[in-house]
Amino acid sequence: MYRRSFILLLYLLITLPSVGQGAKNPIIHADVPDIAIIRVGDTYYMSSTTMHMSPGLPIMKSKDLVNWEMVGYAYDVLEEVDELNLNNGKSTYGRGSWASSLRFHKGTYYVTTFAQTTGKTHVYTTKDIEKGPWKASSFKPSLHDHTLFFDDDGRVYMIWGAGKLSMVELKEDLSGIKPGTEHVLIENATQPAGPNVGLPAEGSQLFKVNGKYYLFNIAWPKGGMRTVIVHRADNISGPYEGRVVLQDKGVAQGGLIDTPNGDWYAYLFRDFGAVGRIPYLVPVKWEAGWPVLGVDGKVPEELNLPASKGLIPNIVASDEFTRKKEDPALPLVWQWNHNPVNELWSLSQRNGHLRLTTGRVDNDFLLARNTLTQRTIGPECTGSTAIDISKMKEGDFAGLALLQQKYGLVGVKFENGAKSIVMVDAQSGTAVEEERVPLNQKKVYLKAEADFNDRRDVASFYYSLDGRRWTKIGSQLKMAYTIPHFMGYRFGLFNYATKTPGGYVDFDFFHIEDRLTGNGAAGIK
C-alpha cells in the first residue's frame, strides 16, 4: 500500500504543474502588436493595433503584466469611407489604424493613433478607461508611429517618423499642431544600428525617467533582425545620443514600464509567423543612466512574474450566442472584418443564435461584409461552430474561415438547387475549391484547426453531421503572415451572396480550444 501511495505521489509530482511556477515568454501567444502600456496605481492598461477591424484600438487590463483581459475599444468605427466599409471594391487590409500611444494625464486617459486610410491623426479621451465613453477628435496630417508625451511643464508633444524623426508641439486640447513648432528631432535615428539599413528607425515611444528623456525605436538592418534602439537626452528637444539596447530573436518595438515595487520591464513584440506579432516582456536594469535590456543581452524564457492563466476567456473566448438583457451584444473578443452593416446581423431574431443576413452580391470572400472574427492563439488552437443553413438562397456561401490574405474556408455552398460542404484553399493567392461533399440536412458542424507549433503554420478543416464524428475535408492550408494584411490569422464566421441577397444562416455557437482536437468531439453543444 505504501509503495502504491509513493508511486501515485511521484506521478502527481511529475504530471502536475509546479506550484509557484512563474511567467514565460511570450506573455501573449497571439497577435497583439504595437503595444503601449501604462500603469495607474497597481493596474496596467495596454493598447494595441487591429488595423482594419471594427471596433478598433483595443484596450486591455492587467494586475500583473502577464494576465490581460479585454476591457474595451477606443472606437466603434474609425470613419465611414469606402475602404473601411468594403464598398465599391475597396478595402483597407493592412492599413486602418496603426500603432497607438497610451497616456494618463491629470485624471484623463488619452490614446492616439494614426491612419493611412483617413490621412489623419486620431485622438481619443476618457475619464474611465474601462467603461468609457470615449471622446473622438482628429487632425491632419497622419503622424506615422507617433508617441504622445505630456511634459512636466504642461506642454504636450508628438514625435514621429521613420529614419528621420520629427517633433511638434500640440495645442493644449490636442485638437491640432501649434503652428511653427515642427522640427527635425533626430536626423538619422537608425545610425546606432549601422549603415546597412532595411527598416529605418520607427515605432517611437518616449519616456522620462529621473529627469532624462528616453526615446525607444525599432530598426531592422538588412540581413539582420528587429533591433531596439534608445536615444537619450537631458532636454526633450535634444541633443540625443543613441545606442542599440537589444538585438535578440527579433524581439523589438515597444517601451518601458515599471512595477509598484520598482522593477522595470521593456514590453516588446516578436514576429512569429502566421499567428502574428506576439508580446514579450524583457527585464530592464539601469546602468549609468541607460536602460539595459535582457539577461546578458538575451530575452529570457522565464520571468519573475506570476504565471499565465491562459488566454481563454480573456483574449479569446467561446460564445453560445445567448444573451441576458444586461449583456453586451457581442463580447469584446469579437471584431468585425472592416465596418459592419448592423442591420444585417442579429442575436435576437433567434434566441441563442447569431444570424448573418446577406445584403448585397459579392464574389470575393475578402470583400464580403459582416465577417465576425476573433484571434487565433498559439501554439495551437481549434475553432468550431454549427450552422443552420435552411434559409440560404441560391448562390450563398456561409461557414468558418481562417482569415488572412492566404485564407482557408470550410462552409456550405448553395448552387444549382443543391447544398454542399466545401473547403476552399487560397494559399496560392487564388481561391481553389479543394473538395465538395453533398449535404442533405439543414444543420452542419464545422471545425478549423491551427497548428503554430515550431512555426509549422498549418491548418486543417473538418465537418460533422452530428457534432461527434468528424471528417477532414480538402487540403492542409499552409498559413502565411502576409504584409498586405499585416495581421495574424483570425477565425471568422461568414455568410455572403453571389447571386441574390436576403438569405440568412444561424450560427448556434462558436467554441475555441487551446489544443488540436483532430477527429475528436470539439463543437458538441
Side-chain angles (χ1 to χ4, degrees):
M1 180 176 177
Y2 292 113
R3 184 173 181 273
R4 290 173 59 190
S5 298
F6 174 79
I7 292 172
L8 177 60
L9 177 61
L10 184 62
Y11 172 80
L12 291 173
L13 288 172
I14 292 171
T15 58
L16 290 177
S18 299
V19 177
Q21 188 177 35
K24 296 181 182 296
N25 273 317
I27 293 300
I28 299 174
H29 203 142
D31 193 58
V32 185
D34 303 332
I35 55 179
I37 300 179
I38 59 172
R39 178 175 61 83
V40 180
D42 64 352
T43 304
Y44 304 93
Y45 295 102
M46 174 169 68
S47 62
S48 180
T49 294
T50 50
M51 300 181 186
H52 47 275
M53 295 291 167
S54 178
L57 221 174
I59 306 295
M60 304 180 191
K61 170 187 176 182
S62 176
K63 287 290 188 178
D64 58 15
L65 280 174
V66 175
N67 294 284
W68 294 90
E69 62 177 310
M70 292 287 307
V71 295
Y73 293 92
Y75 65 80
D76 288 327
V77 171
L78 183 64
E79 277 196 3
E80 294 279 2
V81 296
D82 281 354
E83 289 85 354
L84 286 162
N85 288 334
L86 289 174
N87 279 339
N88 297 315
K90 296 181 179 180
S91 71
T92 194
Y93 286 109
R95 296 186 296 277
S97 64
W98 278 15
S100 56
S101 185
L102 180 62
R103 301 291 185 186
F104 179 66
H105 180 67
K106 293 185 177 180
T108 298
Y109 294 90
Y110 298 79
V111 61
T112 60
T113 185
F114 68 101
Q116 299 173 9
T117 311
T118 64
K120 298 176 183 177
T121 298
H122 296 265
V123 179
Y124 302 93
T125 60
T126 185
K127 294 290 186 180
D128 188 339
I129 193 171
E130 296 187 31
K131 297 180 181 178
W134 290 88
K135 178 183 177 183
S137 63
S138 63
F139 60 84
K140 290 187 174 183
S142 172
L143 300 183
H144 174 85
D145 273 16
H146 66 254
T147 179
L148 175 68
F149 188 79
F150 294 89
D151 211 346
D152 297 336
D153 60 4
R155 299 166 77 179
V156 56
Y157 301 90
M158 276 187 176
I159 298 169
W160 84 98
K164 179 189 292 186
L165 303 182
S166 299
M167 184 170 77
V168 291
E169 185 177 349
L170 299 184
K171 297 175 183 178
E172 187 176 354
D173 61 358
L174 276 66
S175 61
I177 297 170
K178 280 189 176 181
T181 63
E182 180 177 339
H183 66 278
V184 175
L185 188 68
I186 304 174
E187 183 67 39
N188 181 10
T190 316
Q191 188 275 331
N196 193 21
V197 179
L199 175 74
E202 61 177 15
S204 293
Q205 293 201 35
L206 183 68
F207 306 88
K208 191 173 186 179
V209 182
N210 295 329
K212 291 185 181 292
Y213 298 85
Y214 297 88
L215 181 60
F216 276 64
N217 290 102
I218 176 182
W220 198 333
K222 290 180 180 177
M225 66 181 71
R226 288 187 184 268
T227 299
V228 183
I229 297 172
V230 170
H231 284 83
R232 183 183 73 173
D234 293 321
N235 187 290
I236 193 169
S237 295
Y240 282 85
E241 56 176 327
R243 60 172 60 174
V244 170
V245 296
L246 184 67
Q247 196 172 55
D248 182 45
K249 297 185 176 71
V251 175
Q253 188 158 336
L256 291 170
I257 192 70
D258 65 339
T259 68
N261 64 6
D263 293 331
W264 287 84
Y265 292 89
Y267 53 84
L268 308 163
F269 73 73
R270 183 183 184 187
D271 294 274
F272 214 71
V275 76
R277 295 177 290 168
I278 60 179
Y280 277 65
L281 287 176
V282 179
V284 173
K285 293 182 179 180
W286 291 90
E287 295 181 3
W290 285 94
V292 177
L293 275 62
V295 178
D296 297 326
K298 301 295 183 182
V299 176
E301 291 185 4
E302 298 186 0
L303 298 161
N304 187 26
L305 289 168
S308 172
K309 298 175 183 177
L311 304 185
I312 303 172
N314 293 317
I315 302 298
V316 299
S318 296
D319 194 342
E320 304 297 336
F321 299 128
T322 55
R323 299 290 184 268
K324 298 177 182 177
K325 287 185 179 181
E326 65 273 16
D327 290 339
L330 289 172
L332 294 170
V333 296
W334 289 113
Q335 289 175 284
W336 298 99
N337 179 19
H338 292 63
N339 294 343
V341 184
N342 289 317
E343 298 77 21
L344 296 177
W345 67 273
S346 173
L347 288 159
S348 60
Q349 290 175 335
R350 182 179 177 186
N351 187 43
H353 292 76
L354 167 70
R355 177 166 295 179
L356 296 182
T357 303
T358 63
R360 69 180 190 192
V361 170
D362 287 294
N363 291 302
D364 184 347
F365 163 69
L366 294 178
L367 293 178
R369 299 192 73 175
N370 282 20
T371 295
L372 187 61
T373 81
Q374 61 172 285
R375 294 172 179 85
T376 56
I377 59 173
E380 59 190 36
C381 60
T382 299
S384 58
T385 189
I387 319 179
D388 183 332
I389 43 85
S390 59
K391 300 299 182 181
M392 296 177 76
K393 287 191 173 184
E394 177 76 22
D396 287 0
F397 187 16
L400 173 64
L402 281 170
L403 171 62
Q404 231 273 1
Q405 185 186 42
K406 297 182 178 182
Y407 60 84
L409 311 173
V410 60
V412 176
K413 278 187 177 179
F414 191 3
E415 291 180 335
N416 302 317
K419 293 170 184 171
S420 303
I421 306 168
V422 300
M423 185 270 167
V424 173
D425 184 323
Q427 64 182 294
S428 67
T430 301
V432 177
E433 184 180 303
E434 295 288 348
E435 188 175 352
R436 176 180 291 240
V437 177
L439 180 64
N440 297 306
Q441 59 189 56
K442 71 175 187 177
K443 186 173 184 177
V444 65
Y445 298 80
L446 306 173
K447 181 168 70 174
E449 291 184 338
D451 183 355
F452 303 112
N453 285 288
D454 302 318
R455 300 202 192 188
R456 194 171 297 131
D457 291 352
V458 294
S460 300
F461 297 85
Y462 301 81
Y463 72 91
S464 173
L465 301 180
D466 59 8
R468 292 173 174 80
R469 295 177 296 252
W470 291 88
T471 302
K472 185 178 286 190
I473 185 170
S475 59
Q476 187 177 69
L477 175 71
K478 178 59 179 174
M479 297 181 286
Y481 186 97
T482 68
I483 297 302
H485 276 216
F486 219 166
M487 184 175 289
Y489 276 76
R490 296 175 76 97
F491 291 112
L493 306 179
F494 70 92
N495 181 33
Y496 67 96
T498 65
K499 291 186 177 180
T500 305
Y504 64 84
V505 295
D506 291 331
F507 291 87
D508 195 2
F509 59 85
F510 174 78
H511 292 165
I512 185 168
E513 300 179 63
D514 57 358
R515 62 190 181 98
L516 304 178
T517 61
N519 292 321
I524 296 177
K525 186 176 179 181

